[in-house]
């Protein structure tokens, strides 16, 4: 796989569990050498897509290639070039960190000494050398995730798939894992990251695709997705709730879009076209109207707002399951379903 060959290409992937469509025509292209974020709420189809791309699940229609290999006809070749870390650490809690990694090395048919050398390299790289001989059952959640990630790197995969790797981690452990992912990407590993954490996608991904109801609804850099909303926003808090109506009239006259009002916290907000000029105009108008402001600020759109704009809901509702055996009816998108043939 060269940098010109995409790490992943999926076209029209469809997967059904009973009457529930977990994937409904998913198209995906992951450039080699990048961190690519697949963002969506629980039930969007992210894990189903990962299981298909890593040869763990057959799809009903479409086609997919990983590192140039067909995931169905060349499944063994695909498994040779990928690493996978799921949502929960898959380590043996009785074994030590070093023993876990040696075991994974032996399962990959490394000679014993080579497995031992690789285990030591990874323990050092992932900051686990000092606890290498402790039982994995004594590790913190963040340490277990790093050990799990180290295990997926035993054979230095071309593509590392991380399926919601920071689920359940505290902020400190999450930041530690982010650092490791950045280092892997800097060393040339292509990373496919699924997440429901908007900040995680914003921090790590070179490009992001937004998945909803089994389809891609948008794709681009974080900045490009935020730009879908349009202008920057001006937000202010008035001292007296009685001034909300006057402040709203001023914003309506000077802003570039609809004004939002939260009376409970006395806050107003609106998009603006020229952020600096608009701020000055609004402040002067408020002063002329004798409206006392406790706080006023300009801010860029967030990825959370972009997700809401693109999908019509927030990024973390539990809408439905995308796991086999747990189908929940969902609203159909795009008209009647057609029957899909089994992938060959």
């Amino acid at each position: 796989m060269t940098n010109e060959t995409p790490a992943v290409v999926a076209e029209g992937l469809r997967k059904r569990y009973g009457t529930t469509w977990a994937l409904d025509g998913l198209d995906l292209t992951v450039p080699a050498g990048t961190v690519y974020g697949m963002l969506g709420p629980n039930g969007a189809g992210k894990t189903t897509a990962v299981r298909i791309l890593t040869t763990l699940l057959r799809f009903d229609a479409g086609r997919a290639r990983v590192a140039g290999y067909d995931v169905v006809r060349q499944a063994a070749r695909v498994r040779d070039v990928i690493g996978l870390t799921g949502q929960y650490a898959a380590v043996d809690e009785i074994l030590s960190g070093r023993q876990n990694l040696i075991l994974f090395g032996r399962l990959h048919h490394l000679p014993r000494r080579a497995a031992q050398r690789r285990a030591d390299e990874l323990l050092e790289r992932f900051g686990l050398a000092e606890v290498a001989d402790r039982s994995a059952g004594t590790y913190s959640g963040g340490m277990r995730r790093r050990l799990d990630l180290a295990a997926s790197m035993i054979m230095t995969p071309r593509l590392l798939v991380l399926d919601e790797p920071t689920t359940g981690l505290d902020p400190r452990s999450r930041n530690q894992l982010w650092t490791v992912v950045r280092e892997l990407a800097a060393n040339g590993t292509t990373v496919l990251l699924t997440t429901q954490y908007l900040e995680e996608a914003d921090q790590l991904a070179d490009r992001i695709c937004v998945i909803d109801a089994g389809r891609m609804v948008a794709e681009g850099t974080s900045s490009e997705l935020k730009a879908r909303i349009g202008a920057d926003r001006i937000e202010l808090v008035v001292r007296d709730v009685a001034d909300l109506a006057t402040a709203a009239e001023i914003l309506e006259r000077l802003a570039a879009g609809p004004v939002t009002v939260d009376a409970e916290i006395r806050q107003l907000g609106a998009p603006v076209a020229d952020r600096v000029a608009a701020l000055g105009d609004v402040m002067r108008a408020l002063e002329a109207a004798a409206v006392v402001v406790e706080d006023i600020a300009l801010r860029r759109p967030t990825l959370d707002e972009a997700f809401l704009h693109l999908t019509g809901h927030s990024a973390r509702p539990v809408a439905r399951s995308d796991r086999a055996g747990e189908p929940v009816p969902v609203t159909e998108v795009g008209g009647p379903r057609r029957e899909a043939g089994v992938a060959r």
Side-chain angles (χ1 to χ4, degrees):
M1 180 175 67
T2 67
N3 284 336
E4 291 75 29
T5 303
V8 175
V9 176
E11 299 175 339
L13 287 184
R14 306 187 85 222
K15 177 62 182 179
R16 181 175 62 184
Y17 298 128
T19 59
T20 300
W21 288 88
L23 294 182
D24 190 21
L26 178 67
D27 297 316
L28 186 69
T29 300
V30 178
T34 65
V35 178
Y36 192 91
M38 187 184 296
L39 176 65
N42 285 338
K46 304 185 304 296
T47 294
T48 294
V50 162
R51 292 168 70 182
I52 288 171
L53 295 173
T54 55
T55 77
L56 298 176
L57 182 67
R58 277 290 189 100
F59 47 95
D60 296 319
R63 58 181 179 175
R65 299 178 71 83
V66 171
Y69 300 120
D70 187 278
V71 299
V72 175
R73 294 193 302 271
Q74 298 171 293
R77 300 297 298 272
V78 171
R79 288 192 286 269
D80 285 340
V81 298
I82 64 172
L84 171 63
T85 297
Q87 295 180 27
Y88 306 100
V91 297
D92 189 315
E93 296 189 354
I94 297 176
L95 300 179
S96 69
R98 176 177 283 109
Q99 289 170 331
N100 265 283
L101 294 184
I102 291 173
L103 173 62
F104 276 98
R106 295 293 285 159
L107 290 173
H108 280 281
H109 308 294
L110 288 179
R112 180 170 295 278
R113 289 187 179 179
Q116 292 171 342
R117 285 195 301 271
R118 184 60 176 158
D120 289 339
E121 291 171 3
L122 291 170
L123 288 165
E124 186 69 35
R125 182 176 184 181
F126 285 86
L128 295 169
E130 293 185 0
V131 295
D133 295 314
R134 276 175 41 188
S135 165
T138 68
Y139 286 10
S140 67
M143 292 163 64
R144 291 188 196 185
R145 296 304 287 163
R146 297 208 304 276
L147 180 61
D148 197 33
L149 193 54
S152 69
M153 295 294 296
I154 283 286
M155 301 304 291
T156 314
R158 299 187 199 177
L159 172 69
L160 178 61
V161 181
L162 305 179
D163 187 18
E164 301 194 19
T166 60
T167 296
L169 295 187
D170 59 74
R172 181 172 179 271
S173 297
R174 183 175 294 130
N175 285 330
Q176 289 176 337
L177 199 61
W178 287 358
T179 298
V180 171
V181 172
R182 291 189 187 101
E183 291 173 354
L184 293 174
N187 290 325
T189 299
T190 302
V191 179
L192 174 59
L193 168 75
T194 79
T195 182
Q196 57 178 313
Y197 297 117
L198 295 140
E199 183 186 7
E200 188 159 81
D202 210 357
Q203 288 281 334
L204 296 178
D206 299 306
R207 295 189 70 79
I208 301 167
C209 71
V210 178
I211 305 292
D212 195 37
R215 294 179 178 178
M216 182 191 296
V217 297
E219 195 265 358
T221 65
S222 178
S223 295
E224 289 169 347
L225 294 178
K226 292 173 186 177
R228 299 282 188 96
I229 299 175
D232 298 324
R233 289 184 62 83
I234 187 169
E235 293 185 346
L236 60 94
V237 177
V238 298
R239 177 174 296 174
D240 190 340
V241 69
D243 288 330
L244 279 174
T246 302
E249 290 175 2
I250 292 171
L251 279 182
E252 286 173 359
R253 186 172 73 249
L254 299 174
V259 177
T260 59
V261 179
D262 188 333
E264 186 174 349
I265 58 175
R266 309 184 310 283
Q267 185 181 68
L268 304 93
V272 291
D274 187 333
R275 60 197 314 262
V276 176
L279 179 61
D281 292 343
V282 169
M283 290 180 68
R284 284 189 291 271
L286 290 169
E287 184 177 4
V291 174
V292 180
V293 174
E294 289 189 342
D295 189 28
I296 187 167
L298 287 166
R299 68 173 179 81
R300 303 286 188 184
T302 66
L303 194 55
D304 198 358
E305 290 167 335
F307 191 96
L308 180 62
H309 176 76
L310 292 165
T311 66
H313 56 76
S314 63
R316 284 196 266 176
V318 182
R320 59 179 169 84
S321 173
D322 66 348
R323 308 282 195 290
E326 302 177 31
V328 179
V330 297
T331 302
E332 294 193 354
V333 178
R337 306 294 188 189
R338 59 179 175 81
E339 291 300 313
V342 177
R344 302 293 182 187

